[in-house]
Amino acid sequence: MAETLTKTELEHALFSAADSLRSKMDANEYKDYLLGIIFYKYLSDKLLYQVGELIEGRTDLSLEECQKIYSANYKDEDLLDELKETLMYLVEPKHTFTYIFEEINGEARTEDGNIKTFQISDLADAFNDIEGTSEEFEGLFQDVQLYSQKLGINAQKQTDTISEVIKAIGKLKLISADGKSDALGDAYEYLIGQFASETGKKAGEFYTPQKVSELLTKLTLVGKKYPEELTVYDPAMGSGSLLLNFKKYINDVGGKEDNVIYYGQEINISTYNLAKMNMILHGVASGNQHLRHGDTLDEDWPPISQTMFDAVVMNPPYSHNWSANKGFLQDPRFSPYGVLAPKSKADFAFLLHGFYHLKNTGTMAIVLPHGVLFRGAAEGKIRKKLLENGSIDAVIGLPANLFYNTSIPTVILVLKKNKEKRDVMFIDASKGFEKKKNQNELREEDIQKILETYEKREDVDRYAHLAKYDEIEENDFNLNIPRYVDTFVPEPPVDLKKVASDLHDTDVEIEKNQKELVGMLKELTSDNRDVMDGLDAIIKELEAELHE
C-alpha cells in the first residue's frame, strides 16, 4: 500500500474520482455518492487498522493483512465489544471497503473458495451494518441512493457505476495505520467546496466559503484566551465547516483543539448528515460534538439551562420565510424586543436566537444581507433596542459575489453582551478581494486588515469609523455603512494655468502642421483641371484659417 497521500494529492485524486458520476447527474447529487463512499472507506480502513493493532499489536500492517486477521477473528466477541466501544460502529469482514474492492477486482473468495463478485447489494449491506450499530451513525448513508436509475437503468448498470467510483479511490491511503487522518479532513472540506462551486445557488444550503468562515471564527476570538474549554454554536450549521474552523484557530488563543465543544443545528437532513461525517473525518471526539437535526427558529435548542456559548457563528439563509407566530412574542429569545422579525424576512429572528444563547463574555458573528442595517418597521425597532443595549459591536461590509448562492454584497454583524460603551465599529471592506473565475474571494491580507481594524477600534480614512452612540441616534439608528464611512475619492484639483498653456501649445502645433500641409499641397500637380481646381480651393481655405 502506498504512503498516505498529502492533502493536495488527496484533493485532486478525490475530486477526479467523480468523473464516472458527472455525466449522469449534477454535482448537487453526485456529491452525496462520492462523499458518502469516501466516508465509508474511512470508517472501514480505521476499523481494520484497529483490528491489526488489537490482535497483532502492530501499526505497520497493510489493509489487506488486517482484513485477513479480521476475517479469521470475527467470531471473537471480546474483539467485537472492544471495537464497538472504541469506534462506536461495526462492519462485517465481508462488508469492509477492502473486501468489496477485492470483489470488484475479482480477488475475493467465499469461505468455500469460490470467486465472489461484487453486487450493489453488498455495499447497501455494508451501509446498513454501520448505520445499525449506534444512534450516532443512524441514517448517515441515506442520501447514497444505490438503486437510483441515475446510476443506471438496471442493477448491473448501477453496480458498474459504483464499481468505477470504488476503483477510483480504492488504492488511496486515506489514513495512516495509527488512525490519523489530518489531510483527509482538509481534503474532505476541499471536496465540499468544489461541489459548492459546481452547484451554484444550491450550495447556499450547505456551504460557507472557507475564507468567510475563517473571518467569522477569528472575529469571535479577538482579544480572547481559551486555555480551558471553548463552547461554540452554529444554529444553521450546514456542512459544519464554520464550526470546524475553531479546531484550526483555537491554538492562536492559547487553547487546545480537544477542548472545543461543538454545538450545531441544521434543518436539512442531508446536510445534517454531511456535517456529522465532516466532524468525524476531522477527528472530533463524539463527546465533543452535539449536533441536532431540527428547525432552529420554530424549536429553540439547546435548552438555555444546558449551556450558553463562548462563540456563536452563523451564515443563515437570507430573508428566509418563517412562521412569525404571535406566540413567539412570549418566547424569551424574542420577547425583550416587543416585536417579531417579519414573516418574509427571518434575518433578525436568526440573529436574536443566536444572541440569546451567547454568554455574557462571548462574541457572536453573523452574516446577513445589508437590509438589516436600514429596514424599518419591526426590524427598525429590534435594531434600535440592540443599539440601546450596546449589543452591536461592529458592522463589517463585505464584497459582493462572495457566496455561491447569491451575488449581493453582505454584512457581518458582531454582537456582544454587557459592553461598557455603546459605540459601533464600522468597516467598509467591500473593496478588498481577489476576483476569481466565478466568485470573488477574500484574501488573507483582507482578513487580517479587517481583524486588526476591528481590534484597534480606530478610524481609518475611507475604510473604518468608530461611531459613538449619539452619532447613531442622530441617524435614527440607521446603520447603513456609507452614513459612517465615506469612501468617496475626490478628483485631483485642476490646474487652469497648465490647461491654458497646454491649449496654447496645441494651437501652435496645429498651425505648424497646417502650414506644412499647405506647402505639400502646392507641390502637387495634375493634368486634370477639376483636380487642380479642387486643390486650389482647399489651399485657399487652409490659408484663410491660418490668417485668422
Side-chain angles (χ1 to χ4, degrees):
M1 180 71 72
E3 292 298 316
T4 308
L5 297 177
T6 66
K7 172 178 172 285
T8 303
E9 290 170 333
L10 270 174
E11 287 174 356
H12 293 307
L14 294 178
F15 195 58
S16 65
D19 287 343
S20 56
L21 296 169
R22 284 194 179 95
S23 61
K24 295 178 171 62
M25 61 193 79
D26 65 35
N28 198 49
E29 294 172 301
Y30 74 67
K31 75 173 175 56
D32 296 327
Y33 289 94
L34 188 57
L35 293 174
I37 291 172
I38 290 167
F39 182 65
Y40 158 61
K41 175 171 169 54
Y42 163 81
L43 294 177
S44 173
D45 291 359
K46 190 172 183 179
L47 180 142
L48 290 180
Y49 282 134
Q50 187 76 14
V51 168
E53 185 172 358
L54 288 173
I55 300 296
E56 297 293 332
R58 295 172 60 182
T59 59
D60 60 342
L61 298 173
S62 68
L63 287 169
E64 291 80 6
E65 290 170 324
C66 292
Q67 173 71 33
K68 291 177 182 178
I69 295 169
Y70 189 35
S71 298
N73 291 274
Y74 181 63
K75 295 182 179 180
D76 185 335
E77 293 293 334
D78 292 337
L79 172 64
L80 299 183
D81 289 344
E82 180 75 17
L83 289 173
K84 188 171 181 180
E85 183 177 345
T86 305
L87 303 176
M88 307 295 293
Y89 65 90
L90 283 176
V91 58
E92 289 187 41
K94 65 179 181 180
H95 294 152
T96 66
F97 185 96
T98 299
Y99 186 79
I100 286 179
F101 185 62
E102 289 175 350
E103 283 184 337
I104 291 170
N105 290 318
E107 300 168 356
R109 299 277 177 175
T110 61
E111 290 183 1
D112 55 9
N114 294 322
I115 294 177
K116 174 71 168 65
T117 57
F118 172 64
Q119 299 297 322
I120 198 76
S121 58
D122 296 333
L123 187 56
D125 290 340
F127 290 167
N128 289 334
D129 272 3
I130 296 170
E131 289 181 331
T133 308
S134 68
E135 186 176 325
E136 182 180 358
F137 293 91
E138 185 178 344
L140 269 183
F141 298 99
Q142 66 181 26
D143 291 312
V144 187
Q145 298 292 320
L146 296 176
Y147 300 105
S148 168
Q149 289 210 343
K150 289 187 177 182
L151 293 177
I153 59 174
N154 54 45
Q156 187 56 54
K157 294 289 186 182
Q158 294 156 6
T159 299
D160 292 343
T161 300
I162 291 298
S163 295
E164 289 301 314
V165 177
I166 290 175
K167 283 195 288 187
I169 65 172
K171 289 293 185 180
L172 297 180
K173 192 171 184 183
L174 301 184
I175 61 175
S176 57
D178 60 6
K180 291 184 178 179
S181 59
D182 297 336
L184 178 59
D186 290 340
Y188 205 72
E189 192 71 35
Y190 163 84
L191 269 181
I192 295 172
Q194 290 297 306
F195 291 132
S197 178
E198 289 196 17
T199 56
K201 288 189 175 183
K202 293 179 181 179
E205 300 173 4
F206 65 88
Y207 189 71
T208 301
Q210 192 55 232
K211 289 298 182 183
V212 180
S213 293
E214 178 184 342
L215 176 58
L216 288 167
T217 301
K218 288 184 173 180
L219 281 167
T220 67
L221 297 175
V222 167
K224 304 289 181 66
K225 291 292 179 184
Y226 289 105
E228 302 301 329
E229 183 179 273
L230 168 67
T231 55
V232 300
Y233 179 42
D234 184 349
M237 68 178 173
S239 62
S241 61
L242 241 175
L243 287 173
L244 284 165
N245 270 281
F246 286 94
K247 190 175 189 291
K248 291 182 182 178
Y249 304 118
I250 185 62
N251 293 333
D252 297 342
V253 293
K256 297 179 180 178
E257 60 183 54
D258 291 341
N259 292 344
V260 182
I261 310 299
Y262 305 87
Y263 283 77
Q265 184 159 235
E266 172 56 42
I267 192 170
N268 184 300
I269 184 63
S270 299
T271 310
Y272 164 73
N273 285 330
L274 182 57
K276 288 202 295 183
M277 293 181 190
N278 208 4
M279 285 277 172
I280 293 170
L281 284 171
H282 277 86
V284 177
S286 58
N288 284 26
Q289 51 175 297
H290 305 273
L291 309 182
R292 183 174 184 264
H293 172 228
D295 188 323
T296 286
L297 299 181
D298 280 357
E299 185 180 356
D300 186 21
W301 180 87
I304 201 68
S305 59
Q306 181 175 330
T307 188
M308 295 180 73
F309 301 98
D310 297 301
V312 176
V313 288
M314 206 185 326
N315 179 24
Y318 307 146
S319 300
H320 185 66
N321 289 330
W322 75 303
S323 68
N325 189 295
K326 289 184 178 180
F328 282 119
L329 286 170
Q330 308 306 316
D331 190 308
R333 296 175 292 171
F334 313 120
S335 58
Y337 304 89
V339 293
L340 297 173
K343 188 173 183 178
S344 62
K345 293 180 176 64
D347 302 315
F348 271 111
F350 281 110
L351 183 149
L352 295 179
H353 169 88
F355 189 61
Y356 174 70
H357 286 277
L358 187 67
K359 281 183 181 178
N360 288 337
T361 55
T363 303
M364 173 179 171
I366 181 173
V367 183
L368 291 171
H370 275 256
V372 299
L373 302 178
F374 53 80
R375 290 194 296 247
E379 291 180 294
K381 292 177 181 178
I382 295 170
R383 186 172 60 248
K384 179 181 177 182
K385 184 71 172 178
L386 289 167
L387 290 164
E388 288 174 340
N389 294 341
S391 303
I392 298 178
D393 192 49
V395 175
I396 303 169
L398 296 176
N401 204 32
L402 284 181
F403 299 91
Y404 296 110
N405 60 321
T406 180
S407 61
I408 64 171
T410 51
V411 63
I412 294 176
L413 294 183
V414 182
L415 297 100
K416 293 184 176 182
K417 293 182 177 178
N418 297 336
K419 277 177 58 185
E420 292 183 6
K421 297 180 180 180
R422 296 188 289 179
D423 54 15
V424 177
M425 189 70 206
F426 287 87
I427 299 174
D428 187 342
S430 60
K431 305 290 193 298
F433 62 91
E434 179 180 358
K435 188 170 183 61
K436 293 295 185 75
K437 182 178 179 181
N438 296 320
Q439 310 296 135
N440 294 329
E441 185 177 291
L442 292 175
R443 298 163 296 189
E444 200 60 39
E445 59 262 35
D446 301 321
I447 293 174
Q448 290 309 311
K449 184 178 181 181
I450 293 169
L451 293 170
E452 289 169 8
T453 305
Y454 170 67
E455 188 167 17
K456 289 180 179 177
R457 300 186 78 78
E458 297 174 355
D459 285 10
V460 178
D461 192 30
R462 292 193 293 275
Y463 184 75
H465 173 61
L466 182 63
K468 305 298 182 187
Y469 177 78
D470 291 345
E471 183 180 355
I472 296 170
E473 188 176 29
E474 288 173 7
N475 278 311
D476 294 325
F477 302 99
N478 186 317
L479 299 182
N480 205 15
I481 297 173
R483 287 178 176 249
Y484 303 92
V485 182
D486 184 2
T487 60
F488 177 73
V489 179
E491 294 288 337
V494 177
D495 187 341
L496 294 177
K497 287 184 179 181
K498 186 176 186 307
V499 171
S501 175
D502 291 343
L503 286 173
H504 173 73
D505 292 343
T506 301
D507 288 339
V508 170
E509 184 68 23
I510 291 172
E511 183 177 350
K512 176 185 174 185
N513 291 337
Q514 283 183 328
K515 286 180 179 179
E516 291 178 356
L517 178 59
V518 169
M520 288 187 288
L521 289 173
K522 286 181 177 179
E523 293 177 3
L524 294 174
T525 61
S526 174
D527 294 334
N528 189 315
R529 187 69 250 171
D530 291 337
V531 171
M532 292 307 295
D533 289 344
L535 283 174
D536 288 340
I538 293 171
I539 291 170
K540 287 178 181 178
E541 186 177 342
L542 288 172
E543 288 179 329
E545 289 182 11
L546 288 170
H547 283 102
E548 288 180 359

